[in-house]
């Protein structure tokens, strides 16, 4: 948990970006039933976390840069000794003011009646439409009411603006404390991948490795996985979002593990692929060398001014060359890129933003073209190659091989820093860790 001053300075930056003629509503998403009367564990919306660090459900933040006094208003669940006996302590209205920096705090149940007065008479309302139907309806009803009260001095905002415009630009540029949290998340995640390499052997089950990984996350003080842990052995590695993790690992299998620990609400995102037996077969080695070379040369491109599209284009070219060399594709590299034939074996992007969300917020383009990377941005670099076992016209030796290598990379003024550099990916290091 960061110092309250961190959140105060983020709110200050957001209030400044909004300017005096705008207000913002930032709100938690509803708690979700899992089955029967059991709920999914609640995890706060990252926008609320970014601005307050407040982790309780049913929380709304109204930011009003132009207001004289109540610039930061919070609606929270009030203290309730009986409910707190069941569900744990609440900060309550006093806590919202004293610990979370609200200028004013009200019970969550009063949001409906108070919202109009808080958002009227400014030009822009910054609010993320489309995430929560009930809240969308409340905002729409509030705007409709304000349309009728203009003569009495309360008019609705003229525009509803997406939080991507300001808030997500702030989140995209990481500050030192965010980079420290990501570094710790990366360190714990590296430990977990090493533990999985150590525990993974023919005969073990994918879910045993999932347990080793998630156990390491929790034992080391992380919140758990920042996204569902993927452990895919053999041809399961060719399924991009394989999370069933239910199969036994066979001798000769490669194991693809994509797992990231969430620490202080920031998540790492590492993929490693390794031989369960401790030694790559020649065919596995051919594909691994190709992906590793592609990944390392792609990471080397990460620097201020470069773009995610350039990094991806590099990977597409390098991988397509390799696909032709290995007999997965025929013809020329340019033709196979032009007709997108490479997508049969490399069908995902190479990079995404990383932060509070694994696929973190922030615009990828400016004026329709990829934006240049800047110091403080954090990206993944994760090329892969996947040969489905039943693919037509591919060499038999390559069937069922799925390999991805993924690191987390901070853009710095001088180039980049790989947060996940200590997680082995060179062939010798990987084989040693697996033995
Ligand atoms: N683990 C999700 C991803 O790599 O994008
Ligand atoms: Mn990723
Ligand atoms: Mn990943």
């Amino acid at each position: 948990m960061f110092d309250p001053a961190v959140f105060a300075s983020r709110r200050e930056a957001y209030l400044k970006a909004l300017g005096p003629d705008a207000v913002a509503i930032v709100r938690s998403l509803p708690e979700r039933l899992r089955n029967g009367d059991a709920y999914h564990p609640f995890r706060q919306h990252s926008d609320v976390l970014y601005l307050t660090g407040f982790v309780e459900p049913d929380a709304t933040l109204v930011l009003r840069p132009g207001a004289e006094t109540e610039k930061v208003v919070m609606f929270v669940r009030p203290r309730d000794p009986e409910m707190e006996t069941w569900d744990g302590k609440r900060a309550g209205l006093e806590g919202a003011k004293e610990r979370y920096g609200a200028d004013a705090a009200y019970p969550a149940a009063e949001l409906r009646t108070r919202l109009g007065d808080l958002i009227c008479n400014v030009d822009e309302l910054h609010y993320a439409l489309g995430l929560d139907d009930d809240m969308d309806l409340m905002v729409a009803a509030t705007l409709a009411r304000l349309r009728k009260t203009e003569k009495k001095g309360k008019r609705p905002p003229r525009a509803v603006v997406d939080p991507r415009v300001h808030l997500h630009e702030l989140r995209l540029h990481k500050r030192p404390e965010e980079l420290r949290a990501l570094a710790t998340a990366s360190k714990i995640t590296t430990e977990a991948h090493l533990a999985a390499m150590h525990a993974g052997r023919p005969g073990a089950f994918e879910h045993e490795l999932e347990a080793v990984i998630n156990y390491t996350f929790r034992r080391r003080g992380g919140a758990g996985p920042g996204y569902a842990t993927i452990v895919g052995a053999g041809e399961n590695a060719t399924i991009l979002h394989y999370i069933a993790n239910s199969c036994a690992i066979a001798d000769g299998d490669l194991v693809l593990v994509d797992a990231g620990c969430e620490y202080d609400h920031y998540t790492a995102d590492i993929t490693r692929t390794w031989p369960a037996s401790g030694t790559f077969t020649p065919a596995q080695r051919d594909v691994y060398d190709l992906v590793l070379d592609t990944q390392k040369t792609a990471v080397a491109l990460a620097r201020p001014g470069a773009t995610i599209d350039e990094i991806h284009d590099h990977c597409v070219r390098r991988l397509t060359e390799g696909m032709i060399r290995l007999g997965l594709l025929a013809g020329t590299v340019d033709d196979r890129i032009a007709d997108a034939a490479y997508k049969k074996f490399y069908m995902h992007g190479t990079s995404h933003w990383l932060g509070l969300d694994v696929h973190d917020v922030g615009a990828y383009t400016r004026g329709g073209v990829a934006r240049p990377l800047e110091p403080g941005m954090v990206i993944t670099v994760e090329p892969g190659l996947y040969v489905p076992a039943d693919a037509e016209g591919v060499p038999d030796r390559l069937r069922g091989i799925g390999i991805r290598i993924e690191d987390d990379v901070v853009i710095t003024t001088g180039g980049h820093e790989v947060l996940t550099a200590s997680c082995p990916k060179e062939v010798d290091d990987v084989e040693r860790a697996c033995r």
Side-chain angles (χ1 to χ4, degrees):
M1 172 80 176
F2 300 135
D3 190 273
V6 164
F7 300 107
S9 98
R10 292 175 180 180
R11 286 191 299 272
E12 203 175 304
Y14 188 34
L15 289 166
K16 189 162 163 237
L18 287 167
D21 227 353
V23 295
I25 301 171
V26 183
R27 181 173 156 73
S28 51
L29 290 175
E31 292 183 274
R32 291 279 176 213
L33 270 176
R34 178 180 181 274
N35 62 296
D37 62 355
Y39 281 81
H40 284 284
F42 180 75
R43 197 278 196 180
Q44 185 62 276
H45 190 288
S46 296
D47 285 344
V48 178
L49 284 175
Y50 182 78
L51 292 168
T52 64
F54 193 74
V55 296
E56 294 177 31
D58 203 1
T60 309
L61 189 64
V62 185
L63 293 159
R64 310 164 67 232
E68 291 286 308
T69 50
E70 301 188 356
K71 287 183 195 293
V72 178
V73 179
M74 281 176 81
F75 290 83
V76 299
R77 302 178 310 178
R79 299 292 311 268
D80 179 333
E82 192 190 335
M83 289 308 294
E84 288 178 49
T85 302
W86 290 91
D87 297 330
K89 288 248 179 287
R90 299 176 174 186
L93 309 188
E94 284 312 306
K97 287 185 280 189
E98 283 164 17
R99 307 211 307 266
Y100 294 94
D103 299 320
Y106 301 102
E110 293 181 17
L111 179 62
R112 188 174 295 279
T113 52
R114 291 185 179 275
L115 192 58
D117 284 345
L118 293 172
I119 67 169
C120 66
N121 300 340
V122 294
D123 271 359
E124 293 179 354
L125 167 63
H126 290 244
Y127 169 70
L129 272 170
L131 297 179
D132 173 356
D133 291 349
D134 290 343
M135 187 62 192
D136 288 355
L137 277 176
M138 192 195 293
V139 170
T142 304
L143 295 180
R145 269 200 307 281
L146 286 172
R147 273 182 219 122
K148 296 180 192 149
T149 57
E150 179 146 7
K151 283 196 214 117
K152 292 185 209 150
K154 290 182 193 173
R155 64 170 176 81
R158 297 183 208 289
V160 178
V161 182
D162 198 79
R164 290 165 67 88
V165 173
H166 293 309
L167 182 52
H168 293 177
E169 281 300 303
L170 291 172
R171 279 181 54 189
L172 175 57
H173 294 84
K174 272 70 179 175
R175 296 183 180 184
E177 75 278 356
E178 302 184 270
L179 297 176
R180 281 195 293 275
L182 282 166
T184 305
S186 299
K187 188 160 171 261
I188 297 172
T189 302
T190 295
E191 244 184 80
H193 277 262
L194 278 168
M197 288 176 196
H198 194 70
R201 60 183 59 86
F205 276 80
E206 293 162 342
H207 55 75
E208 292 180 63
L209 303 190
E210 175 191 341
V212 165
I213 290 161
N214 294 356
Y215 163 77
T216 307
F217 292 166
R218 290 296 282 153
R219 184 175 59 82
R220 295 280 279 103
Y227 53 90
T229 295
I230 294 168
V231 182
E235 61 180 274
N236 291 337
T238 65
I239 303 167
L240 297 180
H241 288 164
Y242 175 78
I243 56 169
N245 304 345
S246 55
C247 294
I249 300 168
D251 200 12
D253 273 356
L254 285 180
V255 183
L256 183 152
V257 175
D258 184 348
C261 174
E262 184 173 300
Y263 185 86
D264 259 347
H265 302 120
Y266 288 78
T267 190
D269 182 9
I270 300 182
T271 306
R272 290 293 184 265
T273 311
W274 39 268
S277 69
T279 312
F280 289 96
T281 65
Q284 291 167 351
R285 182 69 196 269
D286 284 347
V287 182
Y288 193 85
D289 285 344
L290 170 62
V291 176
L292 180 62
D293 169 71
T294 302
Q295 202 262 0
K296 290 197 299 188
T297 48
V299 169
L301 297 176
R303 71 174 81 87
T307 68
I308 280 180
D309 281 6
E310 285 164 20
I311 293 171
H312 180 63
D313 290 346
H314 164 82
C315 290
V316 165
R317 182 158 288 275
R318 207 69 156 207
L319 289 169
T320 304
E321 283 165 7
M323 290 174 204
I324 292 170
R325 201 167 56 240
L326 293 173
L328 289 167
L329 297 177
T332 69
V333 174
D334 286 336
D335 286 349
R336 291 302 75 84
I337 292 175
D339 68 8
Y342 68 85
K343 286 191 180 167
K344 196 167 160 194
F345 307 108
Y346 182 46
M347 60 298 279
H348 59 74
T350 299
S351 302
H352 54 79
W353 309 129
L354 186 70
L356 288 165
D357 298 325
V358 63
H359 296 156
D360 207 30
V361 295
Y364 284 97
T365 55
R366 283 256 185 265
V369 295
R371 70 192 293 176
L373 294 171
E374 297 165 42
M377 291 177 171
V378 182
I379 62 170
T380 64
V381 180
E382 49 177 307
L385 203 153
Y386 315 90
V387 187
D390 57 0
E392 277 174 29
V394 302
D396 282 341
R397 66 195 285 268
L398 302 180
R399 287 184 190 284
I401 293 181
I403 294 174
R404 179 166 64 255
I405 303 173
E406 174 174 31
D407 280 309
D408 303 342
V409 179
V410 187
I411 308 303
T412 61
T413 46
H416 66 261
E417 181 194 341
V418 182
L419 291 170
T420 48
S422 57
C423 194
K425 63 182 177 186
E426 295 297 333
V427 169
D428 288 349
D429 297 337
V430 166
E431 289 189 338
R432 197 172 314 114
C434 291
R435 277 192 205 120

